[in-house]
């Protein structure tokens, strides 16, 4: 896990990364018979924060990946119970046009999810409301 020092004061909505981390362990790494590696990186890109969640697990099924990527075209999804879809919807609502994401997943190679949000520093301990 790597968190750049210039990101320590960034506002990241509570529990917004947790579903991605949990998914990596539950579905990516636990299903892999010989274990695997998890990676989390938070870095600053100008006025944005880039969060990378990656594992070298079993990868997403084609159906799961296409359901997730369907959100790039529409806010609607036929799988509301899928935690990653719900989290993406929440982040999209919270940050609107300042939010972007991508997923790369390959069978038996793992999954990487990139999340880009605006860099909003905490101001005197006050948390900003979108």
């Amino acid at each position: 896990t790597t968190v750049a020092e210039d990101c320590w004061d960034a506002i990241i909505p509570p529990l917004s990364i947790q579903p991605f981390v949990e998914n990596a362990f539950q579905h990516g790494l636990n299903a892999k018979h010989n274990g695997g590696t998890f990676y989390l990186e938070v870095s600053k890109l100008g006025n944005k924060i880039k969060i990378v969640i990656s594992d070298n697990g079993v990868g997403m099924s084609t159906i799961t990946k296409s359901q997730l990527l369907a959100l790039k075209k529409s806010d609607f999804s036929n799988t509301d119970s899928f935690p990653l879809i719900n989290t993406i919807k929440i982040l999209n609502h919270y940050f609107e046009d300042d939010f972007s994401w991508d997923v790369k997943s390959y069978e038996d190679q793992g999954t990487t999810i990139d999340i880009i949000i605006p860099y909003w520093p905490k101001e005197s301990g006050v948390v900003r409301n979108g």
Side-chain angles (χ1 to χ4, degrees):
T1 300
T2 304
V3 178
E5 276 190 50
D6 56 356
C7 296
W8 288 357
D9 68 340
I11 295 173
I12 298 174
L15 300 176
S16 60
I17 299 174
Q18 181 266 341
F20 297 100
V21 173
E22 189 174 282
N23 193 71
F25 281 95
Q26 282 185 333
H27 301 289
L29 298 174
N30 282 347
K32 191 171 181 175
H33 297 292
N34 58 349
T37 303
F38 170 80
Y39 180 73
L40 172 67
E41 178 184 5
V42 180
S43 58
K44 194 169 171 196
L45 300 171
N47 62 350
K48 305 276 186 188
I49 296 289
K50 181 176 183 181
I51 302 164
V52 178
I53 300 121
S54 186
D55 67 70
N56 68 346
V58 298
M60 291 182 180
S61 71
T62 304
I63 292 171
T64 300
K65 186 177 173 184
S66 37
Q67 289 171 340
L68 191 57
L69 288 172
L71 278 179
K72 287 196 169 271
K73 297 176 185 166
S74 168
D75 283 339
F76 300 103
S77 170
N78 60 358
T79 56
D80 286 332
S81 63
F82 190 41
L84 296 186
I85 288 175
N86 291 338
T87 304
I88 289 169
K89 286 179 179 180
I90 290 167
L91 289 170
N92 191 45
H93 176 74
Y94 191 83
F95 292 114
E96 297 176 345
D97 293 338
D98 289 329
F99 167 68
S100 64
W101 62 279
D102 195 23
V103 60
K104 294 175 195 81
S105 187
Y106 305 98
E107 192 172 335
D108 296 323
Q109 295 179 33
T111 300
T112 298
I113 296 179
D114 296 331
I115 299 168
I116 298 179
I117 60 174
Y119 170 70
W120 290 345
K122 292 179 186 166
E123 299 169 17
S124 306
V126 175
V127 177
R128 207 171 142 175
N129 288 330

